Structure formats: structure tokens, C-alpha cells
Amino acid sequence: MSSLPRRAKVQVQGVLPKDEFSSFSELSSASEEDDKEDSAWEPQKKVPRSRKQPPPKESKPKRMPRVKKNTPQISDDSEVVVKEELNSSVAIADTALEDRKNKLDTVQTLKTAKTKRKCSAQPHAAQRTKKLKVDEETSKASNLEGESNSSETPSTSAMWGGTCKKEENEDDFTFGQSPLKKMKTETCPQGQPVKFPANANNIKEEVEMNWDIVQVLSERTNVEPWVCANTIRLFNDDNTIPFIIRYRKELINNLDADSLREVQQTLEELRAVAKKVHSTIQKIKKEGKMSECLLKAMLNCKTFEELEHVSAPYKTGSKGTKAQRARQLGLEGAARALLEKPGELSLLSYIRPDVKGLSTLQDIEIGVQHILADMIAKDKDTLDFIRNLCQNRHVCIQSSLAKVSSKKVNEKDVDKFLLYQHFSCNIRSIHHHQILAINRGENLKVLTVKVNISDGVKDEFCRWCIQNRWRPRGFARPELMKILRDSLNDSFKRLIYPLLCREFRAKLTSDAEKESVMMFGRNLRQLLLTSPVPGRTLMGVDPGYKHGCKLAIISPTSQILHTDVVYLHCGQGFREAEKIKRLLLNFNCSTVVIGNGTACRETEAYFADLIMKNYFAPLDVVYCIVSEAGASIYSVSPEANKEMPGLDPNLRSAVSIARRVQDPLAELVKIEPKHIGVGMYQHDVSQTLLKATLDSVVEECVSFVGVDINICSEVLLRHIAGLNANRAKNIIEWREKNGPFINREQLKKVKGLGPKSFQQCAGFIRINQDYIRTFCSQQTESSGQIRGVAVTSSADIEVTNEKQGKKKSKTAVNVLLKPNPLDQTCIHPESYDIAMRFLSSIGGTLYEIGKPEMQQKINSFLEKEGMEKIAERLQTTIHTLQVIIDGLSQPESFDFRTDFDKPDFKRSIVCLEDLQVGTVLTGKVENATLFGIFVDIGVGKSGLIPIRNVTEAKLSKTKKRRSLGLGPGERVEVQVLNIDIPRSRITLDLIRVL
């Protein structure tokens, strides 16, 4: 990977891989009738599942999605047998041929399931043999079809054992039991899915709602419905974001990681709403309060606010609403009569002098009014009208100083919210950071916040209700019309207006929190991908006053060479300078890394003064400032104690500061992401959402950079896609017990690393070939020096690496201990077969991977043939072919972080008083927020570039960017616009990105 993938608005390829979803297409032949489903609001009855056979103890097959009654039911046992690897894929066939193939697959599946049940008592090895036989038969059938239609569009991923299955169209990945029809028209020449065919993207979720999850997801994320459907499938099958981004691009139409993460979070939110709706329905049913109207209203809810509004009167322990109490008095008939038969309604007939609430005519009118107000506030059409009306009218959010703030709140907190003490802004134009600031002020009881809806909106709403939705079906007497008008006013003021306020505030807060979390994620990604500074001996300095500055010298391989404490700011600076000089000369260290905490600027001035005097000659010493956020927390953590036992925690922080420059990614993953401090309002947002997003960003960065499995730490390994703490620990234990990994296939021997985990992590794990050749040549068991270039077929590897049973350990020595040069690349094992065929096409060998001659052969071959023709010949997609080309042409120790910014090394310092308006400086971005960019210009205080000064024209076009805006670590040229020395504020203008 030369850079992180970004969202590209390009036409998706017409041919998509079948991947791990091949088992779903086997049921497609019986799904024609699903397109004619009734779209009425009533919830569909749950389809009873077929009785499951008890699965064998050796394996835990994943659940199959629910299928329609008219679809042949297949037990879960059969899935283990017929489910293909992710590499299997087929080309687009015409409709008739596709139907024949679906029938063949269905028959084969049923036969396999039957055979599996008969042989369930046999040993596991026998079952494995049957699996291979079934796979061979299926492959033969696919080969026969492939010969009859050899000119089809190519498939996606590797074809194991040399068998090329034909790829079905991408619409097999869209949801619903019926895949989209194969359509080859002028607008869809390769059979791309039509965007909105009826019921094509329907999903059988665990809980049924009156809305389609694919359509709602598409509307909320602005992603095409078929992409949303494919994404749901991928996540349902436990695929990770890094794996999908790199190896399943064609299924998600080249979405970038942030967009894919947004889809995932929105999907989880919708599922949480659906789950809460159904649990609430069950509670109300148990209490016997469920009605058909209430059920419909609840199944229409898409947000927690809507559900709360509908279900609030039915909560356990609630004394009931005014409308409920009026209904208990028997006034609902009068309320309905007022709307349906107003001429026949006589309210006097409801008077009961001895019953409270019915004793006077006024009590009856108030009761009817409450019932009508409740009916109006719960009506879907009415709520839709007022929501649409508010979208087109002026609705503003206002904040003011709370009346009690002067008594109970700290005066400093009040001053912080000076901008928002008399604030008003339209909800459509308010910025995210303003919402978060207002919410924080409200939580601190400094501000009072309200949503203001103009009277014109209320008047138009009432007029529409009387003339249209709630108009009586006949002549209504003036006193009845007065009751109706009072009901509308009461409903709007007491029920609808508070609901709208809650909805507006919740939507604004949710959007602001998501944007804040995404900004934190972008900043974190940029910080983690800061270019490493390898090959240098570094001195880390953790500054301090009374307790001294802690020093740590680390080797180019991050080993601790020396630790010490010097007291630079206690009148002993000259004497300590001799000690520092001696240490730098003894260890030949010419780079000093200073943490940006307490006493940072004084320590920087100390070193800058010595450097300017050429005190460290003959060494040419330079220094840089690095963020020490989280270093103190890490230094007292169990991980640090395990890594550096016996070392004082204060000295550990100095070691961490130095390592942050040497390899930022490897060091920063040890710290909980929220403590790194490159976000905005991170303590005010949902901590669950923040942690999930930041952990996902760390996993994405570590995976795309890749790790050498034979030398990486356990902490780094656990952030690889598909791995966790237990699996990383098992890998390290296996490595310590059995020696280094020779090839990726040995990962299958590690305890707890099943096929799915291997599939997700294999492409991101590297095995250094020079290291392995050296190790293999030293093995006394080997018959000679191993130059391993053999690429074994997947079938051989699968049989050899199969689990042997509980008694035999997975860590037994493998017979096929041959290094595979492809294991040092980003090419996934599922594509090794395609990579070998590509190598033979260009006349290259595995010895030439990453060498200039390989690049020359690839370039000449691409110029001659073209990407599309080569992909068609190899029966794969352009995306997969591009990954193979990248893997073959990149040098062995390739690290795409080297394209990005390195730390800013300096020899001198500038003071705040030295600055003048108009001065042009260079600096490094420290943090990016929604309102501006903070830049360290080396004066002890970061300057702010207001967001209005960051325009697209000033951003670099040619430079590879990791996100759409500026982020931590980037070097910029700025001009000073304003200096406020009393408040220590510097306003800057962005000139250009360096």
C-alpha cells in the first residue's frame, strides 16, 4: 500500500467477487417470488426456522441467514461442508446458464447435507476427506461451465488448486433472498445492479421493522443501497474494516475507511433501535396494553426519541397521561364522535355528577381535549408535516447565562462561555463545535439552552390540521370547533413542541459527536502514520523542575542503553552539561527528543543555547519537540512494567518519548487512544463510540503498515485485523516455543487462530525472507541450505495444516517448512495462485520481488496489454490485480509512512515577544479541530489558523494526503495576523502546506 485508501467517486466495476458469500447464491434459484412481497406496514410474521442438527464438537459453524418458506431449508451442518473460501469466485454468466448453475448448486448442497448427517459419527479426518471430495466435484462442475463460456468477465480473487470458478454478478451480494436480476442493457452493459429495483435490497434482520434497513442506512450515510447491502453482508460475516478496504474494494465501490466506519456505526445504531423497539413491545404485551395502532406506531420508529415519545405513557410505574385518564373515564368515544359524527355528539350525556372528571361539562370538554391532543401528537402524518414545515422555516437554538450560575459555578467557567451567553443561531447553519460548547455549558449549569420555533410555524400547523388532517366529517357546532382548536394548541404546546425540541437537540448533538469522533480519528491516524526515524541513536528527555529532567538513550533497535536524571533548572545547569555531553559522545547520539510537558520550553532553550555555542562538537546535535500525552499513564501501566521491569516509572516515560520519534506507531499503540490528546471535546462525546472508532483507526493503521511477525511486540500484534489480545499472546508463545514463523501457513497451527481469523490477518502479516533464510540455513535437520521459492498449492497446505484433534497439538512441526517470498508482500494468500500466473506471464521469478528489474517487467507488460485485459486473462478484478502489482514491485522493507512528514528538527528557538504581525514562519500542525488548526511555531504557545483561512486552494494537490484537511504532523508555512500577549493567543493565516 503506497497510501491509505481514500473514497473515490468512480464507476464501480461491473464484475464483483463472490467471496465468502458463495453459499448464499446456492439458494437463489428459489427466490423469484420474493420480489413480489407486500409492502404494507404490518410487520411480517417471523418465519419458523428449520430444526437444526446438533453440530459436531470439533467445529462451530456460523448461523445461516433465515430463508423464506419456499426456499429449501438446509441444516447448519451442511454449511461447514459447502461453504467455500473467500478466494472462490465466478464470472458473470447469462441468465439461463446462471439458473442451471443455481439448480446444480442447490442439489449439490442438499446431497452434501444429507451425506454429512449420515457421517456425523465418523472421525473428523473422514469428514475432512468428504469435504475435499465435494469441493472437487463442485470445482469440476464449475470447470465444465467455464469451458462453455470462456469469454466471460473475470473473477476476483485467487482460485485455489488451479480451479477457476466463474464469478457471479455483484448483485449476488445485495440483500434479500432474491438476488438482483442479471440485466445487460446499454446503461448496465456488464450486468451492474440496478440502483432501486423493488425489494432487491431487503434484509432479513433478526428483528423485523416496518422500514427497510438498507434504504434507511443509505439515506443516512449517502451511500448507494447496493453498497450498503454488501457492507452489511461483509460485517455480518465478521470481516474487518482493513480487510474490506484492501481486499474487497469492488464490493464497497471504493469507500474509504472513514465512510465505511460511518456506515458500520449507523448500522449498529439502527439495530439498537430495532432491538429496543421489540423489547418494549414485549413489555407492553405482557401488561395487556398493546393495540394495533400502538404496534404500528412503534414499528415505524427509527430513532430512540421517536420510540420514547410513543412508549412513554405505557412505562411501568407511570401514573398515566392526561389522555389515558380521560380514556379510563370513557371519553374516547366522544372524542372520535367529534371528528367523525359531530352532528350527533352531545357532551351533556356524559355528565356523571358523582364521578370525578365527569361532574361538569367543563371537565368533559377538557377530557375530550386531552384525548384529541394525544391522538394528534401520535399521528404519523401530522408529525411528518410539522417536521417538514420546520425544515423550511426558521428554527433557531438559543443559549443564555443561567440565572443561578453566579452562585454555584466557578467564575472561570463562566468566562469560558462568554461567546455563548447571548447566542442565537439557525439550527441548519450552526457548527458542530458550537453545539458541543453549548452542551458543555449546559451540563456545567452555566448556560440555559432552548430551541425557538416561530409562532408562524404554529399558526400554519394549526390551520393545516383544521382544514385537512383533523377536519370534522360534517358540520360541527362552534363549541365543538373551539374544543378542536384548543386541542391543537394544547397538543402543539404540551406534546409536539417538546418532542421537536428533543429531536432537534438529539440530532444536532449526535451529528456533532460523530463529527468530533471522526475528527479525533483522522488526527489519530495522521499521528500514528508519522514517518519513523530509523537507524538513529536517540536521547529522550522528560523535562521537569524540582525532580529533574529524566534522560533515556535508546539504540537504533529501540533497546535501552542508558538512563539518568539531570537537574538543569536548579542552578546546576553548567555542571550537568558536562554529563550530557559525555553521554552523547559515549553513545554517538546526535538527536535529542524533548517532551512537551512541564519545563519543556526552558529545557528547549537550554539545549538550543548549547547547540548554538557548538558545545557538543564534534557532534552536530539537533533536537525536536514531541507530544508526551499519555506517556505518564503508560509508564505506570502493567504493559510498561512487563516491558521494562525494575525501571523507575519516570525513566520509562523518557524511554517512551524517544521511541515516539523512532517508531511512532509501535509506541503509540501502547497508549489508550483517548489519552493521546489530538481530539476536540473528547470527554463530552459518547465514550463507547469514541473508543470503538479510535480502536478501529489503530487497527487500520497497524494493519496497513503491516508487522513482521517474527520480531514485533505482542502489543502491536493484537491490533492487527482479525487478532485480539489472546490470539496475539498465543502467537508470541508459539514463536517462543517453536522458533520463528517460516511462512504464513504456520499461523494456522496457533491455538485459537481459525480460518476466519487467518483470512482477516494473513495479508497484514509480513515474514522477512532474509531472516528466514538465515534461520533455515542454521537448522541441523535441514538437508542443505534452503532457498525456498516453492509455492505450494492451497490444497496441500490445507490438508497438512488441518487440525488433528484434541490430543495432538497444533504446534507440531510442519512438513512443508519452505519460505514463500510472497509472504513478505501485501498480497493475500487467497491470491497467491493469481500472483504466480501473473509472474509467469511477465517472465518474472520470486527472487525478483521488489527489485528494479521486476518493476521494469511489470511496466512493460502493462503498457503492452493493459490492466483490464490482464485482469480478464487472469480471471480476477482490477483491484485485486493492483494489490498483486503493488506487492511484487514494492521493496522488501517498504513502509509507506516514509512518504509522510518527519519530526521537525531544530537548532535554535524563537520567543513570543520576538513575533511581529506579518512575520512568515514555518511550523508543525499539533491538532486539528472543527473551528481551526493549532500550529506549533516554536514560541512556546501554539498559534491558531481559523478554519475560514484553510481553503482548498492552499492545500497541497500533488502531495499524498491522509485526510481531507490538515492533520497532526504536517509542516505548514504561516503568516502572523494577530498577537495577544496578555491572553497568549496567536492568530495565523495559512500560506501553503510544505
Side-chain angles (χ1 to χ4, degrees), residues 836-870:
M836 291 304 297
R837 286 190 279 130
F838 178 76
L839 273 176
S840 62
S841 299
I842 66 173
T845 64
L846 292 173
Y847 297 114
E848 300 172 339
I849 291 179
K851 296 181 179 178
E853 47 265 35
M854 174 66 77
Q855 186 68 58
Q856 293 173 1
K857 290 180 180 180
I858 291 175
N859 290 340
S860 60
F861 190 63
L862 289 177
E863 290 176 4
K864 180 181 177 182
E865 297 286 338
M867 285 283 287
E868 293 184 2
K869 286 187 178 180
I870 298 172

Side-chain angles (χ1 to χ4, degrees), residues 682-888:
Q682 60 259 37
H683 301 295
D684 297 331
V685 302
S686 167
Q687 296 303 300
T688 304
L689 176 64
L690 180 65
K691 186 178 187 307
T693 301
L694 298 186
D695 288 347
S696 177
V697 169
V698 173
E699 179 184 74
E700 171 196 338
C701 293
V702 176
S703 298
F704 284 142
V705 171
V707 298
D708 187 338
I709 194 170
N710 288 320
I711 62 173
C712 70
S713 66
E714 180 182 330
V715 178
L716 193 63
L717 198 58
R718 69 178 59 155
H719 291 289
I720 287 289
L723 301 183
N724 54 27
N726 287 334
R727 290 170 190 153
K729 181 180 178 183
N730 293 339
I731 288 174
I732 299 298
E733 289 176 352
W734 194 98
R735 188 176 74 189
E736 292 174 351
K737 182 178 180 181
N738 300 278
F741 288 87
I742 306 299
N743 54 37
R744 282 172 172 169
E745 291 297 326
Q746 284 184 292
L747 284 168
K748 295 179 179 178
K749 293 175 169 293
V750 178
K751 179 183 177 182
L753 204 68
K756 191 67 186 179
S757 299
F758 174 80
Q759 176 205 53
Q760 298 299 306
C761 74
F764 306 112
I765 284 175
R766 308 282 186 270
I767 297 179
N768 186 287
Q769 295 302 295
D770 291 338
Y771 179 83
I772 293 305
R773 290 190 188 99
T774 304
F775 169 77
C776 291
S777 64
Q778 296 172 353
Q779 298 302 302
T780 56
E781 295 85 4
S782 62
S783 57
Q785 186 177 9
I786 297 180
R787 294 183 179 179
V789 295
V791 179
T792 54
S793 68
S794 64
D796 294 337
I797 292 173
E798 185 176 350
V799 173
T800 305
N801 287 343
E802 195 72 43
K803 296 180 182 178
Q804 298 299 322
K806 291 185 177 180
K807 296 296 181 183
K808 295 185 180 181
S809 173
K810 287 182 75 175
T811 57
V813 177
N814 193 351
V815 179
L816 298 175
L817 282 180
K818 294 183 179 180
N820 185 346
L822 292 175
D823 288 343
Q824 69 185 339
T825 69
C826 60
I827 303 173
H828 198 280
E830 69 183 12
S831 301
Y832 279 2
D833 183 63
I834 298 176
M836 291 304 297
R837 286 190 279 130
F838 178 76
L839 273 176
S840 62
S841 299
I842 66 173
T845 64
L846 292 173
Y847 297 114
E848 300 172 339
I849 291 179
K851 296 181 179 178
E853 47 265 35
M854 174 66 77
Q855 186 68 58
Q856 293 173 1
K857 290 180 180 180
I858 291 175
N859 290 340
S860 60
F861 190 63
L862 289 177
E863 290 176 4
K864 180 181 177 182
E865 297 286 338
M867 285 283 287
E868 293 184 2
K869 286 187 178 180
I870 298 172
E872 185 175 355
R873 181 186 302 174
L874 296 175
Q875 293 185 312
T876 186
T877 61
I878 291 179
H879 297 296
T880 303
L881 181 59
Q882 186 61 56
V883 171
I884 291 173
I885 291 173
D886 290 342
L888 295 177

Side-chain angles (χ1 to χ4, degrees), residues 26-27 72-75 77-79 81-82 102-120 130-131 133-135 137-138 141:
E26 295 170 356
L27 305 177
Q73 299 289 323
I74 301 172
S75 70
D77 292 331
S78 63
E79 183 189 358
V81 182
V82 300
N102 288 337
K103 292 178 182 178
L104 176 63
D105 286 346
T106 305
V107 173
Q108 183 67 54
T109 304
L110 294 173
K111 287 181 179 179
T112 306
K114 189 174 181 181
T115 306
K116 179 76 176 180
R117 286 194 294 271
K118 287 181 180 180
C119 303
S120 59
K130 289 182 178 294
K131 174 183 175 180
K133 288 182 179 179
V134 172
D135 289 343
E137 292 175 7
T138 310

